[in-house]
Amino acid sequence: MRIARTTAEIRRQLKPLRSRQTIAFVPTMGCLHAGHMSLIEKAGKLADIVVVSIYVNPLQFAAGEDLDAYPRTFDKDATLCRNAGVDFLFHPATLYPKNGPTITLKATQLSDCLCGASRPGHFDGVITVVNILFNMIQPDFAIFGEKDWQQLAIIRRMVEDLQMPVEIVGSDIIREADGLAMSSRNRYLSDADRKQALALYQALRAMQQSALAGEKHVKTLKSVAQNILDAADIRPEYLDIRCAHSLTTKRMLNEQPARAFIAARVGKARLIDNMPLAFNTTPEPASCTEDSR
Ligand code: PAF
């Protein structure tokens, strides 16, 4: 595995390979866990060369968020990458000019709800850095985890709107044995927080099972989840069911794929998770609607 620390270096390393081999890219902020490793494994199946980047992007953290505290574990991450067969590891000191970027990207849709509502500017920071990384790596495929579903939806839209020559591939959420979604931020959880955090998964599962059993009313599904969160003393930042792709709100489940989303602060960690909700046609006919928003 080769490690590059500057743009010039990674460009130089990849240039001779580009015409003969395909490249799959996994952008990360490091502190790699089994979730990231599953992205890397998927990348290895898709292309000849796997490139991973590790860069804690300051542009996607608002003032007061955990930019400084964000775990940085480069040596361990590099070993994991090497053992997983990664070909190139890109670990730049910075990706921006000294006084910050003059030009950034802005997501005008999809970013004003869910995480975007409580983290204004976050997704603009994400798409700006992903765009920079795509320009450097010029991958054929880029793999993103579905835990950050909104991020994945926005990146898909960026690639579509800006006609970028890269295929975006989503990858399943990887969970601990009890169901908690893997996240670099789980390491902020105390033992007590860890137990409490499980309620996010349980609330999503309960909605999923109710939907499978035929419940279509979003209000009812959300109250099932709310009861579980209440019992665990968790006040969610959001608990929502939306159209999986447009992220518009829904009143009833229908044929359009729907997804349930939760974000909550547990101890020092802000955790997010999501799950698909099936539309069960058997118990009653659909009289579905989707809100205009
Ligand atoms: O999902 C992440 O880890 C980050 O948002 C990403 C895509 C690496 C951009 O900094």
Side-chain angles (χ1 to χ4, degrees):
M1 181 178 82
R2 296 175 74 183
I3 298 178
R5 293 184 190 271
T6 64
T7 308
E9 232 179 323
I10 191 73
R11 283 213 167 116
R12 200 169 47 242
Q13 289 174 0
L14 294 178
K15 197 171 175 185
L17 310 171
R18 217 180 282 293
S19 58
R20 291 175 281 115
Q21 288 172 294
T22 51
I23 299 176
F25 176 44
V26 181
T28 80
M29 297 206 300
C31 192
L32 305 182
H33 50 67
H36 297 108
M37 301 326 285
S38 75
L39 305 183
I40 292 171
E41 196 185 321
K42 193 159 204 154
K45 289 187 182 138
L46 282 167
D48 305 317
I49 296 170
V50 175
V51 181
V52 172
S53 66
I54 295 181
Y55 179 62
V56 182
N57 171 33
L59 215 58
Q60 68 190 75
F61 289 80
E65 288 189 346
D66 58 344
L67 172 63
D68 293 333
Y70 199 85
R72 285 148 172 96
T73 54
F74 180 74
D75 292 341
K76 194 169 158 254
D77 292 346
T79 305
L80 285 170
C81 286
R82 193 170 290 112
N83 294 343
V86 169
D87 301 290
F88 295 89
L89 180 57
F90 180 44
H91 182 46
T94 181
L95 289 175
Y96 303 110
K98 218 165 56 212
N99 297 324
T102 318
I103 310 291
T104 58
L105 289 182
K106 186 166 177 50
T108 52
Q109 281 174 37
L110 302 174
S111 67
D112 56 354
C113 58
L114 303 173
C115 290
S118 56
R119 304 185 73 189
H122 166 70
F123 289 114
D124 298 340
V126 170
I127 56 176
T128 298
V129 82
V130 169
N131 184 40
I132 292 171
L133 288 163
F134 282 1
N135 287 337
M136 286 174 179
I137 311 294
Q138 296 176 37
D140 299 280
F141 305 93
I143 300 93
F144 294 85
E146 291 186 348
K147 186 173 79 66
D148 296 295
W149 183 270
Q150 187 175 15
Q151 167 173 284
L152 177 60
I154 292 173
I155 289 170
R156 279 192 200 284
R157 187 68 70 83
M158 169 181 80
V159 162
E160 205 177 301
D161 284 7
L162 302 185
Q163 310 211 12
M164 300 167 99
V166 51
E167 186 177 321
I168 302 301
V169 180
S171 195
D172 289 346
I173 299 175
I174 303 296
R175 300 181 177 279
E176 304 282 359
D178 62 2
L180 181 73
M182 292 209 183
S183 164
S184 304
R185 290 186 168 101
N186 288 353
R187 60 165 54 201
Y188 299 152
L189 300 171
S190 67
D191 289 349
D193 298 338
R194 173 66 184 75
K195 285 196 187 106
Q196 197 188 14
L198 192 57
L200 270 71
Y201 167 74
Q202 288 166 338
L204 288 167
R205 273 295 282 163
M207 285 192 276
Q208 197 174 52
Q209 278 161 347
S210 297
L212 259 183
E215 182 56 63
K216 294 179 187 57
H217 294 84
V218 162
K219 214 167 155 187
T220 312
L221 289 164
K222 278 165 70 170
S223 71
V224 167
Q226 188 65 58
N227 290 340
I228 291 171
L229 297 175
D230 285 347
D233 207 16
I234 289 180
R235 272 200 288 147
E237 183 186 299
Y238 58 74
L239 159 60
D240 219 343
I241 293 172
R242 287 177 176 252
C243 172
H245 303 299
S246 66
L247 303 184
T248 47
T249 54
K250 284 172 114 52
R251 285 200 300 270
M252 299 278 284
L253 299 188
N254 58 12
E255 286 87 357
Q256 277 186 322
R259 225 155 164 110
F261 300 89
I262 297 183
R265 197 159 280 283
V266 180
K268 289 198 189 85
R270 179 182 177 279
L271 303 178
I272 59 172
D273 198 354
N274 67 85
M275 242 177 235
L277 299 183
F279 173 57
N280 183 346
T281 45
T282 38
E284 61 182 52
S287 59
C288 161
T289 50
E290 197 174 305
D291 288 359
S292 53
R293 197 154 68 82

